[in-house]
Amino acid sequence: MPLPHVLLSAAVSLDGCLDDAGPDRLLLSSPADFDRVDEVRASVDAILVGAGTLRADDPRLLVASAERRAARVASGRPEHPLKVTVTASGDLDPGARFWHTGGEKIVYTSDEGARRLRRAGVAADVVPLGAEPDWRRLLEHLHDVRGVRRLMVEGGGTVHTQLLQRRLVDEIQLVVAPLLVGDPRAPRMFGPGAYQSGRLRLLETRAVGDVVLMRYEPTEPGTGADAVPADRHWLRIACELAAQCPPSRTAFSVGAVVVAADGTELARAHSREGGDPVVHAEEAALAKIDPADPRLPGATVYSSLEPCARRASRPRPCARLILDAGVRRVVTAWREPDTFVPGADGAGLLAGEGAQVVELPEFADAAQAPNRHLLQ
């Protein structure tokens, strides 16, 4: 199911601490960065903090700029984003500023935590998620019930760790401040555990006052039926490649990317690439990779259109080329319509021989856009 775009936002010291161990909050951001954070807050639909952050800091999580608040209202959005917190126990102070400033609030909790919060009379929508809060169910509820498309997560370290380890993070915005904490008791942004094995992609780095902002996104593909943020990133690229195809009245415009298990891009291509009027995207991409490359069996093929199961222009269809290359996971945006091949079922051919096929229909419009003339 579609999930919100999850953006982790944090500031750390040079030695990776979110705070020191003292009773007062250590201010790591510069005035210029506080304004940047305010701009990001104004751009999202919801802001989330964990129960530990709420207890320690009692943040208000408001958009400070009157101009930005006015712009949100003018665009039909509430003045402030939805405020969200998560607690298993439900042990939260109903008098905290979090509940009594800004607009709507929602708290996700366990069944027992929900009973406790309702008895306490917290001023929020209380949503139980079973015996323990489940992050995927939480994000699905935010997306489907509350209409959240962009979620900013401002901590703390436990929340950041859990979301990243569960591969639910689309972007990390990390600010590094010119301070050293040096206290082993100080909280850190991420805890120990299993993370993605590949290198994250650096999207941006820039100075903001005396701190440095770095933006990263995950690159490692998923391994099963559940899509991870990197899957959406690579499929978005495949759809952008489809838009680069020379137009045709007799064939679809398709883009494809082949990505190794560690997030390394092996090849990309689009239909009719290099002046070949009949070459398909997946075919062209696989042709750029050494067939003996040991990374192929663990790779994922991202294709804006379901790989073909039958074709007249080549001996083997793309679904067969993918299987013969050893690839066993395919992510696609759009099932092939009957425009040229009635009953096309590349996904069925792939699945029938043990490949995992993941369809992300939220990208269907982007995949169809360069093919509108064929669908009328």
Side-chain angles (χ1 to χ4, degrees):
M1 295 179 66
L3 302 177
H5 179 97
V6 176
L7 183 162
L8 299 192
S9 175
V12 297
S13 63
L14 285 172
D15 52 343
C17 296
L18 289 166
D19 198 355
D20 59 21
D24 299 321
R25 180 70 173 170
L26 176 64
L27 297 180
L28 293 164
S29 292
S30 65
D33 188 56
F34 283 125
D35 185 66
R36 179 197 64 82
V37 170
D38 193 63
E39 183 178 20
V40 177
R41 285 181 177 179
S43 72
V44 301
D45 302 305
I47 305 171
L48 182 149
V49 294
T53 298
L54 197 157
R55 296 185 192 107
D57 300 338
D58 191 10
R60 294 184 301 162
L61 303 182
L62 305 178
V63 177
S65 165
E67 292 80 5
R68 291 173 184 139
R69 294 198 304 270
R72 285 178 60 89
V73 173
S75 67
R77 297 184 294 168
E79 191 175 22
H80 299 283
L82 172 70
K83 295 200 293 188
V84 185
T85 192
V86 187
T87 171
S89 68
D91 182 17
L92 296 174
D93 179 6
R97 294 183 305 173
F98 179 90
W99 313 111
H100 303 288
T101 57
E104 291 189 83
K105 298 93 184 173
I106 185 168
V107 52
Y108 292 96
T109 184
S110 64
D111 295 339
E112 178 57 37
R115 287 189 283 271
R116 184 173 190 171
L117 288 163
R118 287 167 178 153
R119 286 196 301 268
V122 296
D125 180 12
V126 178
V127 179
L129 295 174
E132 292 288 336
D134 177 272
W135 280 110
R136 183 169 286 274
R137 285 184 61 196
L138 183 157
L139 294 174
E140 288 174 354
H141 186 273
L142 279 176
H143 183 280
D144 297 343
V145 178
R146 302 307 298 258
V148 173
R149 297 299 178 264
R150 286 181 59 82
L151 173 67
M152 182 181 187
V153 180
E154 295 198 30
T158 300
V159 169
H160 286 155
T161 297
Q162 290 178 354
L163 285 169
L164 198 58
Q165 289 182 344
R166 287 162 176 74
R167 305 181 73 180
L168 295 169
V169 175
D170 294 274
E171 180 182 349
I172 300 171
Q173 293 192 4
L174 179 64
V175 161
V176 179
L179 294 170
L180 292 163
V181 173
D183 191 331
R185 299 170 300 167
R188 297 183 177 273
M189 183 170 179
F190 298 121
Y195 295 94
Q196 79 152 70
S197 60
R199 298 171 71 91
L200 277 69
R201 177 179 294 100
L202 179 64
L203 300 175
E204 178 188 9
T205 179
R206 61 183 165 98
V208 184
D210 68 344
V211 305
V212 175
L213 167 68
M214 294 176 288
R215 293 176 52 233
Y216 290 94
E217 66 179 358
T219 60
E220 186 182 70
T223 56
D226 287 334
V228 301
D231 289 328
R232 294 189 284 274
H233 163 77
W234 292 115
L235 189 56
R236 187 176 297 110
I237 289 178
C239 293
E240 291 168 355
L241 288 166
Q244 299 178 20
C245 297
S248 171
R249 287 282 177 184
T250 58
F252 290 113
S253 293
V254 182
V257 189
V258 185
V259 182
D262 66 354
T264 301
E265 180 180 326
L266 301 181
R268 64 171 65 187
H270 57 74
S271 302
R272 300 177 292 283
E273 188 173 277
D276 185 334
V278 297
V279 73
H280 287 193
E282 304 93 328
E283 173 190 15
L286 289 169
K288 297 175 183 179
I289 307 170
D290 183 345
D293 192 319
R295 296 172 294 180
L296 275 170
T300 296
V301 169
Y302 297 88
S303 179
S304 61
L305 178 67
E306 172 189 28
C308 62
R310 286 177 288 161
R311 63 187 294 190
S313 58
R314 292 282 198 264
R316 291 184 295 169
C318 290
R320 175 52 56 193
L321 292 173
I322 291 168
L323 291 167
D324 290 350
V327 176
R328 289 300 179 266
R329 188 169 186 266
V330 176
V331 179
T332 185
W334 177 36
R335 293 295 181 102
E336 183 178 353
D338 292 342
T339 308
F340 301 116
V341 180
D345 187 19
L349 173 57
L350 290 163
E353 298 201 21
Q356 177 76 60
V357 181
V358 181
E359 184 178 357
L360 301 183
E362 62 264 39
F363 289 93
D365 284 346
Q368 293 169 12
N371 298 289
R372 297 287 185 208
H373 62 291
L374 300 173
L375 303 177
Q376 295 173 356

